[in-house]
Amino acid sequence: MSTLTLLAPGDEFKPPGLELFDAAPIISGVAWFTKPVLLALLSSVIVIGFCWSAFGNPKLVPRGVQNVGEMGYMFVRDQVARPFLGKDADRWMGLLLSMFFLVWVWNLMGVIPVLQFPVASHIAFPIVLALSVYVLKIYLGVKHQGVIGYFKNMMFPPGLPKPIYVLLAPIELLSNMIIAPFTHAVRLFANMFAGHIILAFFSLVGFWFLFEKLTPLGAPLGVVGVVMTIAMTGFEMFIQFLQAFLFAMLAAMYIGNSLHADH
Amino acid sequence: MAMGILAEVTGSLGSIGYGLAAIGPGIGVGIIFGQGVQAIARQPEAYGLIRQNMLLGFVLTEALALIGLVAPFMFGQ
Amino acid sequence: MPAMSEKKIRPEDDGRDFANAAWSIPSYLLSGMILYGGAGWLLSEWTGVVAFTPIGLILGVALSVYLVYRKYGR
């Protein structure tokens, strides 16, 4: 409802903008406790509860929730962990699985009817996850390759003519140390941010032209808006799954690159 | 100077420009990976060669998209 | 790099390399542009010659493309 009440009371259609993301404190006086924070806490509880009921008391023949959980586990293991981590895959499954589920539930908050706010569209949330992967990446790289070896493998890939290293080593350093984790967080953030704006825009078009200002000329446009909202919601759900998958995949890629020196 | 203004666009012109500039590389990246996957499906034994050319084409196309991203900063004002 | 390409025998290694390359290419290009474009911008602020910024940007793109080409393209 918040998207609809934000409308300026005028005659002109006003597309939704950044004010969609201004979250007011739920309890007045507690400035940090806003809707995204509440949803993030709720997502954590959902993921913990789901994993607990699925894997807490495993049966040999899986039934019910355990079945669903094992489907997710198999997906993450075969599509995310094994291609990038190889024989180390099972050690990292705990991290990757919980990261995948958490990001997915965060994103799904954007289409669940009453909640309707993708947590990751506030960039602070993806940044925390990306930063923890970044710290883990550097820690593992230094642990497995040594401080000198890690930076040498990173900045001086073999097989280039000697003088050009002066120009290319800074690019490698900047790319691996700053731009890669930055894009890791921003990719998730930007997709959820844009998706939320798109959904809000089309649903507002439908609401405005069918309910607020119903005119013979505007009504078809409103119908188009409603149809597009439905189509885009389906598309958004696909994107949300894809982004959660990509986030976990990139995390596995960074971890794998730190574990094995030959890249 | 004698010409009158026929049409005017106001607002954030840089973002409109980048939106237009991203169309071409978007189509290009789609074509590169689409045709690349098709080529691999047709001739899996040429995977190495196809992969290398796919990456090369992707780099050159992506460079265009990123040049579009910085063009508003270069020709701002 | 004949030694490197000989080492890749298992197909899943190839797939990992490909995903690796495809996902790091944008960040390489972006960092090359930021680094050398930024250097060119600083130079143009210092000397007053505006042309240094586009020259730096193009140089950065060219260097990143060359880096990616040498690292993944062969």
Side-chain angles (χ1 to χ4, degrees), chain A residues 190-214:
Chain A
N191 274 285
M192 290 306 111
F193 180 83
H196 191 56
I197 288 188
I198 286 173
L199 285 187
F201 174 76
F202 282 118
S203 52
L204 194 60
V205 166
F207 186 77
W208 181 263
F209 287 104
L210 287 183
F211 292 99
E212 293 272 308
K213 304 272 178 243
L214 186 59

Side-chain angles (χ1 to χ4, degrees), chain A residues 83-86 153-154 157-161 164 166-168 170-172 174-176 179-180 182-183 187 246 249-250 253-254 256-257 260 262-263, chain C residues 1 4 7-8 10 12-13 15-17 19-21 23-24 26-36 59-60 63-64 66-67 70-72 74:
Chain A
F84 291 98
L85 296 168
N153 283 335
M154 186 177 74
L160 265 67
I164 208 99
V166 182
L167 293 171
L168 294 188
I171 296 182
E172 287 267 4
L174 186 70
S175 164
N176 281 301
I179 305 288
F182 176 73
T183 50
R187 191 171 284 125
L246 278 182
M249 197 197 86
L250 287 174
M253 198 178 98
Y254 294 145
N257 284 353
H260 309 294
D262 55 349
H263 288 289
Chain C
M1 288 182 280
M4 257 183 92
K7 232 172 25 179
K8 292 180 223 145
R10 303 192 345 254
E12 61 265 36
D13 260 11
R16 189 178 73 187
D17 272 7
N20 234 325
W23 286 107
S24 44
S27 69
Y28 275 132
L29 285 170
L30 206 57
S31 53
M33 291 177 87
I34 289 174
L35 201 68
Y36 289 96
L59 181 72
L63 281 172
S64 319
Y66 177 71
L67 172 67
R70 291 304 291 248
K71 209 174 162 185
Y72 299 116
R74 28 191 287 162

Side-chain angles (χ1 to χ4, degrees), chain A residues 90-140:
Chain A
D90 291 340
R91 276 188 61 209
W92 296 100
M93 273 309 294
L95 175 73
L96 294 175
L97 185 75
S98 39
M99 192 175 271
F100 171 74
F101 274 147
L102 183 66
V103 175
W104 195 15
V105 174
W106 273 4
N107 294 348
L108 275 178
M109 291 294 165
V111 292
I112 292 175
V114 186
L115 308 172
Q116 268 171 339
F117 192 88
V119 178
S121 65
H122 273 206
I123 195 168
F125 294 97
I127 274 186
V128 169
L129 280 191
L131 208 61
S132 47
V133 172
Y134 177 63
V135 170
L136 182 67
K137 167 179 105 167
I138 293 178
Y139 168 74
L140 286 173

Side-chain angles (χ1 to χ4, degrees), chain A:
Chain A
M1 279 312 269
S2 60
T3 57
L4 308 174
T5 48
L6 278 169
L7 265 178
D11 270 351
E12 205 172 320
F13 174 74
K14 196 170 158 294
L18 292 180
E19 74 276 357
L20 284 175
F21 300 95
D22 297 337
I26 293 172
I27 309 163
S28 60
V30 193
W32 58 270
F33 195 68
T34 54
K35 191 177 173 185
V37 177
L38 178 71
L39 292 182
L41 286 173
L42 185 65
S43 314
S44 307
V45 171
I46 290 174
V47 171
I48 291 171
F50 175 75
C51 288
W52 202 303
S53 60
F55 306 120
N57 183 18
K59 304 270 194 315
L60 198 59
V61 180
R63 263 191 307 137
V65 184
Q66 196 189 345
N67 232 334
V68 181
E70 285 191 358
M71 244 158 74
Y73 186 93
M74 293 283 279
F75 172 76
V76 175
R77 190 189 64 186
D78 292 343
Q79 305 294 321
V80 176
R82 286 214 172 142
F84 291 98
L85 296 168
K87 60 185 184 344
D88 301 316
D90 291 340
R91 276 188 61 209
W92 296 100
M93 273 309 294
L95 175 73
L96 294 175
L97 185 75
S98 39
M99 192 175 271
F100 171 74
F101 274 147
L102 183 66
V103 175
W104 195 15
V105 174
W106 273 4
N107 294 348
L108 275 178
M109 291 294 165
V111 292
I112 292 175
V114 186
L115 308 172
Q116 268 171 339
F117 192 88
V119 178
S121 65
H122 273 206
I123 195 168
F125 294 97
I127 274 186
V128 169
L129 280 191
L131 208 61
S132 47
V133 172
Y134 177 63
V135 170
L136 182 67
K137 167 179 105 167
I138 293 178
Y139 168 74
L140 286 173
V142 169
K143 190 179 156 200
H144 285 265
Q145 303 168 31
V147 179
I148 310 270
Y150 179 56
F151 283 96
K152 189 173 157 291
N153 283 335
M154 186 177 74
M155 288 169 67
F156 301 98
L160 265 67
K162 284 274 177 299
I164 208 99
Y165 277 125
V166 182
L167 293 171
L168 294 188
I171 296 182
E172 287 267 4
L173 185 70
L174 186 70
S175 164
N176 281 301
M177 285 287 115
I178 296 167
I179 305 288
F182 176 73
T183 50
H184 188 199
V186 162
R187 191 171 284 125
L188 174 62
F189 155 74
N191 274 285
M192 290 306 111
F193 180 83
H196 191 56
I197 288 188
I198 286 173
L199 285 187
F201 174 76
F202 282 118
S203 52
L204 194 60
V205 166
F207 186 77
W208 181 263
F209 287 104
L210 287 183
F211 292 99
E212 293 272 308
K213 304 272 178 243
L214 186 59
T215 55
L217 269 178
L221 204 58
V223 173
V224 169
V226 171
V227 170
M228 281 303 282
T229 308
I230 296 167
M232 279 293 159
T233 304
F235 183 64
E236 251 327 276
M237 285 163 83
F238 170 66
I239 295 283
Q240 286 165 350
F241 172 76
L242 203 68
Q243 288 303 317
F245 167 64
L246 278 182
F247 199 88
M249 197 197 86
L250 287 174
M253 198 178 98
Y254 294 145
I255 291 171
N257 284 353
S258 291
L259 290 179
H260 309 294
D262 55 349
H263 288 289

